[in-house]
Amino acid sequence: MNSIKRLLVLSAFSLCLAACNGNSSSQAYGSSEEMSATTEGSTHYDSVEGRGWGEELSLKMANALNGYVLPFIELTEVDTQDSEVEEYFVIAGASSVEAIAVYPDALLADGFTLSEDSQYGNEYVRVQENYSYWYISLETQEQYISISASYYRALPSWPSEEILADEERTGISSLPEFAGAEAYIYSCYINSYTEAYEISVECYGKDVTEASVIAYKTTLTEAGYELDEFLAEFGYEIYVKDNVSVTADWYNGGLYIAASYTEESSEEEMIPSETFPDEALATFCEENAITAEIPSFTANQYEYISGYDEEGYVFFAVNGIFETKEEAEALETSYTATLTEAGYTIDDSEYETYGIVAYSADDSAQLQYWFDDAEVPTFSLYVYPAEEEIPMGEETFDDAVAGGTSVISFEDQSSMVTLSEELCVWNNGAFSFSVDQHLSEIIVGNTGAFFAPVRCYASQEISIYSEIDIEKIEFEFDGSKYGASALGASDLGAAKLEGNTLTLGVPGKKIDIVLAKQIRIKTITVTFAA
């Protein structure tokens, strides 16, 4: 369960994590003198069949990885993914325990070394003298292995064009330039914490020193970026301008710059009040089956709001505004005593992330509260209904009618039949829509809610199925950025996309699409073949 405080800190943490540890598929490395560099240029093989993958698969790898072909491992139930634009290749499948155990040795024999930042000992790198490098991540589970390989190409100048080209998915059109590096490595990736696209620029060269970090932060300030004072209190040095957050750090002999874009909130502003909002809170409790008493508190002024957080949980929030931080801090202490007397269970073990968490004796409410000693001292209280297991329906197709239409809306969870981190399925009695994690690093669904719009991410697989033939599918997207153009970037096979309508080349019972970009869906309307 989230609060606004937790979301802000988590976002900052994820951006700083990217700056300090590299993104989910990228590393930063030192100067060419510090590195065990391979020979300049690509690694090619006299025969692409010489590694055992066969010509077709080997050529795909070589095309995706600047000529490099992965060491062979015998696989069954093989699944692959590559890109016509980005230099990466993923192959996964079943193999023997013995073959999986010795695969890292094959990488080491190919000139790779274990990444210094490999938390689980599963990330390998091979660096060229021009600072370009290959990166390989291994994910294994018993008799299953997934090999994710990427090639990061060094550029001779600041990647202005590359940043602009990715604006549609990142929301970032430009960043202040850092001049004087010999090589720049640009990456656009999905942050596994925030589930959003971010970018990074690695800067290397003999003139790039630790002083470059300070110099670049000065450049950010001169360009109008401002240090986020609130996040600085938590140790995160984030510079923000026009919803773009940037951080810079010295990492493994280079300047590492990471940037992310935060969309404007569509939530309403908090409502000011001279008194505690008893009536609004009572209405919220009644609508959400909260039977526990929520104690009020006294403050100079109040503001409140109710809505859904980013994970789909409904909440009621009220801030008490004070003249001094001592008053706000004292209220945190006295409010804890009040709740304890009322039978609440108190948990402050993760205060820096969640504040103090309190559970009502009747298990109908969960509260989060804390004081903030910012310029305007406040005491914040968030009220959530207790989490309940989501009732799942059954998957049926009896309502499908030839020549008819049927709609699944994601405004609520009434049509959900499966909810897990790997697979979510909705069914309205006529057709089903599913989101499978597939080869994505991002899980699907969550443990609590899944409201409109449904967010489906790159490398996840969406499927639409019925027991009678489907002729076309009309999507209602949430905004143009995550709409038809994003869906159209995927391989649609014989299907044709016109506007928001996908027409199957030949009517069939199922269509599977592995997404190239994130899409956000509000409704799906299926037209069945006559």
Side-chain angles (χ1 to χ4, degrees), residues 150-443:
S150 301
Y151 181 71
Y152 291 92
R153 188 180 300 274
L155 303 171
S157 59
W158 181 259
S160 301
E161 294 182 3
E162 287 77 7
I163 295 173
L164 183 60
D166 282 326
E167 180 184 9
E168 182 178 346
R169 56 180 178 172
T170 66
I172 302 171
S173 60
S174 66
L175 286 178
E177 178 179 344
F178 175 80
E182 295 175 27
Y184 301 85
I185 295 179
Y186 170 78
S187 300
C188 178
Y189 55 92
I190 295 177
N191 186 298
S192 57
Y193 291 90
T194 63
E195 301 183 349
Y197 279 102
E198 297 181 356
I199 64 174
S200 67
V201 183
E202 305 164 44
C203 309
Y204 300 114
K206 62 179 182 298
D207 294 331
V208 181
T209 66
E210 292 189 47
S212 301
V213 177
I214 299 174
Y216 189 70
K217 291 176 180 178
T218 301
T219 299
L220 289 173
T221 302
E222 292 173 348
Y225 286 76
E226 297 181 356
L227 179 66
D228 190 310
E229 300 291 349
F230 171 75
L231 297 178
E233 294 180 9
F234 294 89
Y236 306 120
E237 196 167 344
I238 311 293
Y239 292 81
V240 183
K241 177 184 177 183
D242 297 333
N243 291 14
V244 176
S245 299
V246 182
T247 187
D249 210 335
W250 180 253
Y251 186 72
N252 277 1
L255 169 63
Y256 194 101
I257 301 165
S260 65
Y261 177 83
T262 304
E263 295 181 2
E264 291 283 1
S265 173
S266 60
E267 296 179 355
E268 298 178 1
E269 294 183 359
M270 299 190 81
I271 301 170
S273 176
E274 295 296 324
T275 60
F276 187 87
D278 291 290
E279 186 175 337
L281 178 57
T283 300
F284 174 84
C285 292
E286 182 178 355
E287 292 175 347
N288 291 279
I290 295 177
T291 54
E293 178 185 356
I294 312 297
S296 61
F297 57 82
T298 301
N300 295 345
Q301 290 181 309
Y302 305 85
E303 55 184 10
Y304 65 94
I305 193 172
S306 64
Y308 292 93
D309 66 18
E310 290 191 359
E311 289 186 358
Y313 294 103
V314 65
F315 71 91
F316 184 95
V318 54
N319 289 334
I321 301 171
F322 296 88
E323 291 186 1
T324 68
K325 73 171 186 178
E326 288 77 15
E327 292 176 295
E329 184 175 10
L331 177 56
E332 183 182 87
T333 302
S334 63
Y335 199 72
T336 298
T338 300
L339 292 176
T340 301
E341 186 176 346
Y344 279 77
T345 300
I346 308 298
D347 180 4
D348 62 359
S349 60
E350 297 184 73
Y351 182 85
E352 291 301 322
T353 303
Y354 299 101
I356 299 175
V357 182
Y359 304 90
S360 65
D362 65 358
D363 294 325
S364 68
Q366 176 177 323
L367 312 185
Q368 290 173 233
Y369 58 95
W370 61 88
F371 83 94
D372 189 344
D373 60 354
E375 184 176 348
V376 179
T378 59
F379 173 83
S380 298
L381 169 66
Y382 279 70
V383 180
Y384 291 91
E387 298 177 19
E388 297 180 0
E389 183 177 351
I390 301 169
M392 293 291 141
E394 296 182 1
E395 195 167 11
T396 63
F397 303 92
D398 297 339
D399 296 338
V401 177
T405 61
S406 184
V407 180
I408 287 181
S409 171
F410 302 105
E411 287 299 327
D412 55 41
Q413 298 172 154
S414 59
S415 58
M416 182 170 282
V417 295
T418 300
L419 173 61
S420 73
E421 293 184 349
E422 296 81 25
L423 177 69
C424 288
V425 182
W426 294 259
N427 177 274
N428 66 351
F431 73 95
S432 65
F433 170 75
S434 65
V435 183
D436 190 300
Q437 185 177 3
H438 194 54
L439 297 178
S440 175
E441 296 179 357
I442 299 178
I443 62 173

Side-chain angles (χ1 to χ4, degrees), residues 60-135:
K60 281 188 175 182
M61 290 185 194
N63 290 335
L65 300 174
N66 194 43
Y68 180 69
V69 178
L70 292 165
F72 180 72
I73 181 172
E74 189 74 43
L75 296 176
T76 59
E77 303 176 16
V78 178
D79 200 354
T80 66
Q81 181 186 352
D82 59 357
S83 171
E84 295 181 358
V85 179
E86 300 174 23
E87 294 178 289
Y88 73 87
F89 188 87
V90 181
I91 185 166
S95 189
S96 68
V97 173
E98 294 77 13
I100 292 173
V102 300
Y103 195 77
D105 296 334
L107 293 176
L108 296 176
D110 252 6
F112 282 80
T113 59
L114 184 66
S115 168
E116 294 180 8
D117 189 49
S118 181
Q119 184 176 1
Y120 302 105
N122 64 336
E123 297 168 289
Y124 298 83
V125 294
R126 180 177 178 177
V127 187
Q128 296 178 284
E129 290 180 355
N130 69 346
Y131 300 96
S132 299
Y133 60 88
W134 289 275
Y135 165 90

Side-chain angles (χ1 to χ4, degrees), residues 433-435 456 460-464 487 511-513 515 519:
F433 170 75
S434 65
V435 183
C456 311
Q460 292 180 354
E461 182 178 59
I462 63 171
S463 301
I464 298 171
L487 179 62
I511 182 170
D512 301 315
I513 302 171
L515 297 174
I519 62 173

